[in-house]
Each structure stands twice: as structure tokens, then as C-alpha cells.
Amino acid sequence: MADQMPQVSAEFGTTPVIEFPTPDAPKGLKVVELFEGNGPMVRRGDTVTVNYHGVVWGGSEPFDSSFNRHQPASFGIGVGQVIKGWDQTVPGHNVGSRLLVSIPPEYGYGSRGIPQAGIGGGDTLVFVIDIISTR
């Protein structure tokens, strides 16, 4: 599976650079732990603080990036405050981990997408997520 996933350069805490191996995204929801942290494990219902960088599969410009804003984001995880792809992949990983997540439309923004953000209906989303804290 990792060979179908994008390559990510840059270390935890720095803005990632994402390179796509193929024009076609892998099927289904995929997560690769690029770096395993040694902090507490994130559990459903926790409030997590993360830095993230999101691009459409094959794209180069982020549709959203807390790294670019220099402002981490905090929200409840596993409770419907974010897209399903996040709710199902972030819990179970430790603080200090860097994740690479490929999210098909049914776990993201569906067939409508978010055109104003540059996300088309049917787009697969790719996020690099650094887990900063959980409580």
C-alpha cells in the first residue's frame, strides 16, 4: 500500500512537500504512519491539536494548511466535528506522530466537494497530519 501513497519530504513540525507516484489515487481510506510519536495515544472523543497540510490527489497547491497559517488547529476527534476520513484515521496514533492520509470522497466532502476551496466532487484528498497534543 505504501508504494501507492505519495512521498512526503520534510520532518515532523515542518511544512511537507508531497509528490504523487501515479495520477490515480488508491481505492479506499488509507493511512501511513510516517513517524511514530511516543506521546499519549489519541482516543475517540479527545480534543486533538494538529498541524496539517491538505491537497487534492495529484495537486501541488494546498486547499488548506495550518502550516501555512502558522496556527495549529484543535477539535474533537471521532465525534463528527471533522470529515469521516480524519475521525477514522487519527484515533489510535500517538502524540508526536506524522500521518499521511488518503481520503476518498465518501470519507471526505462527497460528490459535491467544496468548489470554493478547489475541491471537486469525487476528489481524493491527501493530508499530512502532525499530532501535537491530545486531551
Side-chain angles (χ1 to χ4, degrees), residues 38-57:
N38 58 8
M41 182 182 287
V42 176
R43 302 193 186 286
R44 292 186 191 284
D46 285 359
T47 297
V48 294
T49 300
V50 299
N51 261 319
Y52 64 90
H53 191 76
V55 298
V56 170
W57 184 277

Side-chain angles (χ1 to χ4, degrees), residues 42-48 75-80 82 86-87 90-91:
V42 176
R43 302 193 186 286
R44 292 186 191 284
D46 285 359
T47 297
V48 294
F75 44 80
I77 196 72
V79 294
V82 291
W86 279 59
D87 275 347
V90 175

Side-chain angles (χ1 to χ4, degrees), residues 40-106:
M41 182 182 287
V42 176
R43 302 193 186 286
R44 292 186 191 284
D46 285 359
T47 297
V48 294
T49 300
V50 299
N51 261 319
Y52 64 90
H53 191 76
V55 298
V56 170
W57 184 277
S60 59
E61 292 300 313
F63 57 80
D64 193 9
S65 176
S66 67
F67 287 102
N68 291 353
R69 289 191 304 276
H70 307 287
Q71 182 66 46
S74 297
F75 44 80
I77 196 72
V79 294
Q81 288 186 9
V82 291
I83 58 174
K84 282 187 206 175
W86 279 59
D87 275 347
Q88 293 190 16
T89 58
V90 175
H93 294 280
N94 297 340
V95 169
S97 295
R98 174 168 268 201
L99 308 178
L100 171 63
V101 184
S102 175
I103 302 176
E106 61 270 24

